[in-house]
């Protein structure tokens, strides 16, 4: 990240929600804010809604459409700002037109780029999207897609604020709390490619809570108290994320601490749309109408609109769905059907939000030996089962926190939240939010705990962007700041030296290189540990993370760990400069862990005399794990 741009005199703090299905930009006027009462705004983003038609909309759909050369005429893709020179020969559309046009020509639509960014099984810098596009469609990489969303937002800002250039403001971009170090690095890389010269990364659940705090104008202190455990449930278009934030009191001041984050679960509104499409397709098939793959994509898009209408408090009992024909008589040959409110409510509640026990866990099925290239979607669609698993893993998350001793029964089987904050467009349906609340409170009742309360007033579409803007303001020393540091502890595998034994691999130990909760801007050295690194050639490490081991310190060496305690991530790769040495020489180094001010984790190899430092790069090329 470039640190050359001085933003200390910035007029605005800008927050960007780089979402799976929508992106948004919010801002705080730093000169018109006082304490927790900040002057907030949301940028209406100019974007194409149809060829030659530009509209200003509060959300930028996170889609890229790659039109055929004969599909658009000169001027059809013009925006209020000039297109960059390097883009001239490769036409594309970002935003609302991309989403709507892609519904009818899905082989040219790039979606879920953020989910691909954190997919370790692919080369995320390679041109692989759309993943099912035929050879004649020019593909782009996940990082290019993210860069295009971020570039569009930067250009929209500069177009609206010519006297306050984007490059001179304080920028915060949000990411899922569950993003691993490689995905965080790739997000930074995409932002840099989009012209973001200095920025900070912020976890989305924290941003949602910041927004709730900011919009309360100080009233939040009456809604939460010391000892509260806030469960943030974030279900968006493509993902589900869970976080836990504990409320402490220090010197009479309330201080939220993020204590746990869940896994990155590819399960959200898009899955619900697809499930409804299959429900409708079965109804049509029963009447003798079969749909092909192209029509199924169009049907999925129609089911999304029907779902949003029927689950909202609109008073509608039915919603029409029209599936375009493949023939020339587009209207006359269209297939018409409908969904009812009862069908949608029952199907989504029972399929995605079933009332399950606290001991329930997501089902895992045996996978086929061969599979299509695609995202690693959750195998179990029940969000409530994933939530039960998260709370069960985090049963001891607050045991070491000041003021939390004895607040939870020793025989508790899961961590007991006292409040729930919802985020994500899925929860525009009060029905779904109430189902989560009822399920969690059933679990609490059976363990003799008080029911959790819902924190009201969240802006489900714009909370993350608003909270990100407010965070930049908080970093200047205003308002309340959520504490937390890194959401996981990180480890490198150390292979034991032992003679070869047939059928047995050498056992490994896990060396803690960054403890849980390591704060931004800090750097720690592994005490008493020296390593030999080869220069001029790549060196590889196996790499682990744990969201449950909170007491391991840097340099601790683990001989044993439970099956759910450590998760293997992408390996670490270092190619050290061989300047002044021969390729293959071994350099004695110590390892340092550093969490940057931007929120990314770095491992540094430092020579014994301290004169040389190399950054140990996370491998983001999709090297398969062994």
């Amino acid at each position: 990240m470039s640190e050359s741009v001085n933003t200390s005199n910035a007029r605005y703090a800008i927050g960007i929600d780089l979402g799976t299905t929508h992106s948004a930009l919010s801002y705080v006027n730093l000169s018109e804010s006082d304490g927790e009462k900040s002057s907030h705004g949301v940028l209406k983003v100019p974007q194409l809604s149809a060829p030659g038609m530009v509209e200003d909309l509060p959300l930028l759909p996170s889609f890229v459409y790659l039109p055929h050369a004969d599909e658009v005429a000169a001027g059809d893709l013009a925006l209020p700002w000039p297109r960059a020179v390097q883009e001239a020969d490769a036409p594309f559309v970002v935003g609302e037109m991309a989403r709507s046009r892609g519904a009818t020509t899905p082989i040219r639509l790039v979606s879920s780029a953020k989910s691909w960014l954190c997919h370790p099984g692919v080369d995320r810098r390679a041109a692989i999207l759309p993943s099912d596009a035929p050879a004649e469609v020019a593909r782009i990489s996940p990082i290019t897609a993210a860069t295009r969303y971020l570039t569009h937002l930067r250009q929209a800002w500069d177009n609206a604020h010519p006297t306050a250039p984007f490059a001179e403001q304080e920028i915060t971009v949000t990411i899922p709390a569950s993003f691993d170090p490689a995905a965080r690095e790739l997000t930074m890389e995409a932002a840099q490619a989009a012209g973001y010269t200095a920025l900070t990364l912020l976890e989305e659940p924290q941003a949602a809570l910041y927004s709730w705090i900011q919009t309360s104008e100080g009233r939040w202190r009456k809604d939460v108290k010391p000892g509260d455990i806030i469960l943030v449930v974030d279900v968006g278009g493509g993902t589900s994320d869970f976080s836990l934030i504990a409320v402490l009191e220090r010197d009479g001041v309330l201080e939220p601490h993020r204590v746990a984050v869940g896994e990155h679960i590819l399960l959200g509104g898009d899955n619900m749309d697809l499930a409804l499409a299959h429900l409708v397709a079965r109804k049509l098939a029963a009447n003798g109408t079969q749909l092909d793959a192209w029509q199924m994509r169009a049907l999925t898009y129609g089911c999304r609109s029907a779902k949003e209408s029927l689950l909202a408090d609109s008073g509608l009992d039915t919603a029409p769905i029209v599936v375009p024909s493949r023939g020339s008589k587009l209207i006359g040959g269209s297939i018409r059907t409908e969904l009812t409110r009862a069908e949608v409510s029952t199907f989504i509640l029972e399929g995605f939000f079933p009332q399950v026990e606290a001991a329930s866990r997501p089902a895992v099925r045996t996978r086929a030996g061969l599979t299509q290239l695609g995202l690693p979607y959750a195998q179990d669609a029940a969000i409530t089962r994933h939530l039960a698993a998260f709370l069960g893993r985090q049963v001891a998350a607050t045991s070491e926190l000041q003021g939390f001793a004895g607040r939870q029964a020793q025989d508790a089987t899961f961590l007991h939240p006292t409040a729930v904050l919802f985020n994500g467009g899925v929860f525009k349906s009060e029905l779904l939010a109430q189902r989560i609340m009822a399920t969690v409170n059933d679990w609490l009742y059976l363990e003799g705990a008080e029911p959790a309360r819902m924190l009201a007033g969240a802006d489900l579409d714009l909370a993350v962007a608003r909270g990100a803007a407010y965070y930049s303001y908080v970093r200047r020393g205003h308002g309340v700041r959520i504490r937390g540091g890194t959401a996981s502890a990180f480890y490198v595998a150390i292979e034991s030296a032992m003679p070869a034994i047939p059928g047995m691999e050498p056992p490994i130990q896990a060396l803690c290189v960054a403890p849980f909760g390591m704060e931004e801007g800090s750097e720690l050295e592994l005490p008493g540990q020296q390593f030999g690194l080869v220069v001029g050639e790549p060196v590889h490490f196996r790499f682990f993370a744990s969201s449950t081991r909170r007491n391991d310190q840097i340099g601790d060496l683990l001989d044993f760990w439970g099956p759910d305690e450590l998760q293997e991530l992408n390996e670490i790769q270092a190619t050290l400069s061989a300047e002044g040495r021969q390729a293959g020489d071994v350099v004695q180094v110590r390892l340092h862990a550093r969490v940057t001010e931007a929120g990314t984790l770095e491992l540094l190899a430092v020579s014994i005399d301290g004169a040389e430092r190399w950054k140990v790069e996370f491998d983001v090329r999709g090297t398969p794990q062994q």
Side-chain angles (χ1 to χ4, degrees):
M1 182 183 71
S2 170
E3 300 289 353
S4 59
V5 177
N6 181 10
T7 59
S8 60
N9 296 319
R11 287 171 53 190
Y12 295 96
I14 296 175
I16 291 178
D17 174 10
L18 180 62
T20 306
T21 54
H22 288 93
S23 296
L25 186 154
S26 182
Y27 57 92
V28 170
N29 188 324
L30 295 170
S31 64
E32 297 178 5
S33 300
D34 179 24
E36 290 174 17
K37 297 182 180 180
S38 55
S39 177
H40 242 287
V42 174
L43 179 70
K44 288 198 172 182
V45 183
Q47 57 195 281
L48 288 161
S49 57
M53 182 181 296
V54 175
E55 288 190 61
D56 295 346
L57 301 173
L59 298 173
L60 177 73
S62 301
F63 297 88
V64 179
Y65 184 72
L66 308 171
H68 187 277
D70 298 331
E71 192 176 344
V72 291
D76 278 355
L77 304 185
L79 288 164
W81 49 83
R83 191 175 287 269
V85 174
Q86 64 267 29
E87 299 168 0
D89 298 328
F92 67 88
V93 186
V94 167
E96 183 57 41
M97 178 181 163
R99 179 172 66 173
S100 58
R101 185 64 64 95
T104 57
T105 314
I107 60 172
R108 294 184 172 274
L109 181 67
V110 176
S111 60
S112 301
K114 187 169 78 171
S115 296
W116 285 96
L117 265 188
C118 66
H119 186 358
V122 299
D123 183 348
R124 288 157 281 184
R125 293 194 182 93
I128 59 174
L129 301 178
S131 60
D132 55 354
E136 64 267 20
V137 176
R139 302 186 185 194
I140 63 175
S141 69
I143 199 169
T144 298
T147 297
R148 288 180 178 176
Y149 309 144
L150 292 168
T151 299
H152 192 103
L153 291 171
R154 175 181 59 80
Q155 292 171 327
W157 173 271
D158 283 336
N159 181 70
H161 299 84
T163 62
F166 188 90
E168 297 177 7
Q169 313 313 314
E170 293 188 0
I171 313 298
T172 300
V173 175
T174 63
I175 55 172
S178 51
F179 259 21
D180 67 16
R184 291 171 186 248
E185 288 281 356
L186 282 165
T187 305
M188 292 289 291
E189 187 175 322
Q192 290 166 8
Y196 292 38
T197 51
L199 74 151
T200 299
L201 299 180
L202 177 67
E203 295 171 5
E204 290 163 4
Q206 288 192 51
L209 186 61
Y210 274 125
S211 175
W212 179 76
I213 289 173
Q214 183 270 330
T215 54
S216 78
E217 296 185 336
R219 294 188 303 274
W220 72 278
R221 290 182 174 84
K222 298 179 181 178
D223 293 329
V224 298
K225 59 185 183 301
D228 268 335
I229 301 170
I230 302 171
L231 167 64
V232 183
V233 181
D234 185 351
V235 182
T239 59
S240 294
D241 279 285
F242 311 121
S243 288
L244 289 164
I245 298 173
V247 181
L248 282 68
E249 184 176 26
R250 295 186 188 276
D251 301 323
V253 177
L254 293 182
E255 188 174 273
H257 279 245
R258 193 264 289 111
V259 294
V261 300
E263 300 173 349
H264 193 59
I265 306 168
L266 294 186
L267 175 62
D270 292 350
N271 303 71
M272 300 173 199
D273 303 334
L274 182 59
L276 287 170
H278 281 280
L279 173 67
V280 173
R282 287 195 296 271
K283 289 170 55 178
L284 292 172
N287 293 322
T289 302
Q290 295 288 339
L291 303 182
D292 60 22
W294 179 86
Q295 290 172 312
M296 278 297 297
R297 289 283 194 96
L299 175 59
T300 303
Y301 184 78
C303 285
R304 174 185 299 141
S305 298
K307 176 198 72 178
E308 292 172 352
S309 298
L310 293 170
L311 289 181
D313 188 16
S314 59
L316 295 175
D317 290 322
T318 62
I321 297 176
V322 179
V323 182
S325 167
R326 283 283 212 172
S328 58
K329 295 181 179 180
L330 184 60
I331 302 301
S334 296
I335 301 166
R336 297 174 181 272
T337 184
E338 66 179 21
L339 273 172
T340 68
R341 177 190 291 269
E343 284 177 326
V344 172
S345 300
T346 302
F347 190 75
I348 294 210
L349 278 175
E350 298 310 315
F352 291 88
F353 298 91
Q355 289 184 295
V356 299
E357 296 179 352
S360 296
R361 296 294 181 264
V364 179
R365 57 178 171 80
T366 303
R367 301 185 65 184
L370 294 176
T371 182
Q372 290 182 322
L373 175 66
L375 292 169
Y377 292 109
Q379 295 183 11
D380 192 324
I383 291 170
T384 43
R385 275 196 282 271
H386 290 281
L387 178 56
F390 168 66
L391 292 175
R393 282 195 303 272
Q394 302 298 338
V395 64
T398 59
S399 59
E400 303 293 326
L401 282 182
Q402 177 184 338
F404 281 78
R407 286 185 176 268
Q408 182 165 282
Q410 290 188 346
D411 59 352
T413 63
F414 65 95
L415 187 71
H416 295 171
T418 60
V420 180
L421 178 68
F422 290 103
N423 188 54
V426 164
F427 293 115
K428 287 181 181 178
S429 168
E430 186 177 343
L431 183 71
L432 303 184
Q434 291 300 333
R435 170 57 69 90
I436 290 277
M437 291 302 303
T439 302
V440 169
N441 282 332
D442 280 349
W443 300 342
L444 292 168
Y445 173 78
L446 291 173
E447 296 207 348
E450 292 293 318
R453 60 197 184 278
M454 186 169 75
L455 300 180
D459 184 338
L460 296 170
D461 276 335
L462 296 168
V464 169
R466 286 179 177 275
Y470 181 64
Y471 175 68
S472 283
Y473 177 61
V474 166
R475 293 182 74 216
R476 290 184 163 222
H478 308 291
V480 60
R481 183 166 184 176
I482 301 169
R483 303 294 176 181
T486 57
S488 299
F490 295 96
Y491 307 80
V492 168
I494 306 295
E495 185 174 295
S496 300
M498 62 176 290
I501 299 175
M504 179 178 176
E505 293 185 0
I508 62 169
Q509 298 170 301
L511 176 67
C512 182
V513 294
F516 184 94
M518 189 172 169
E519 292 286 348
E520 292 90 346
S522 61
E523 181 174 326
L524 297 174
E525 177 184 334
L526 266 71
Q529 299 282 342
Q530 294 186 16
F531 298 88
L533 291 187
V534 179
V535 296
E537 298 176 1
V539 180
H540 300 273
F541 299 91
R542 290 174 66 184
F543 193 54
F544 300 90
S546 174
S547 63
T548 58
R549 296 187 64 98
R550 291 173 173 76
N551 297 321
D552 292 339
Q553 300 300 312
I554 188 166
D556 286 355
L557 199 59
L558 309 184
D559 293 308
F560 306 100
W561 53 88
D564 295 328
E565 287 188 300
L566 266 61
Q567 292 77 45
E568 186 160 5
L569 306 177
N570 274 15
E571 64 185 8
I572 305 175
Q573 173 179 294
T575 302
L576 305 184
S577 168
E579 184 177 350
R581 303 182 181 87
Q582 297 294 318
D585 282 354
V586 177
V587 182
Q588 295 299 307
V589 297
R590 296 184 186 275
L591 287 184
H592 290 221
R594 177 172 177 260
V595 179
T596 69
E597 290 289 351
T600 59
L601 175 68
E602 295 179 350
L603 287 184
L604 304 171
V606 182
S607 61
I608 299 303
D609 61 6
E612 297 171 284
R613 293 165 69 93
W614 298 272
K615 182 180 175 182
V616 181
E617 300 282 1
F618 293 99
D619 182 9
V620 294
R621 299 175 305 164
T623 304
Q625 296 176 0
Q626 301 297 318

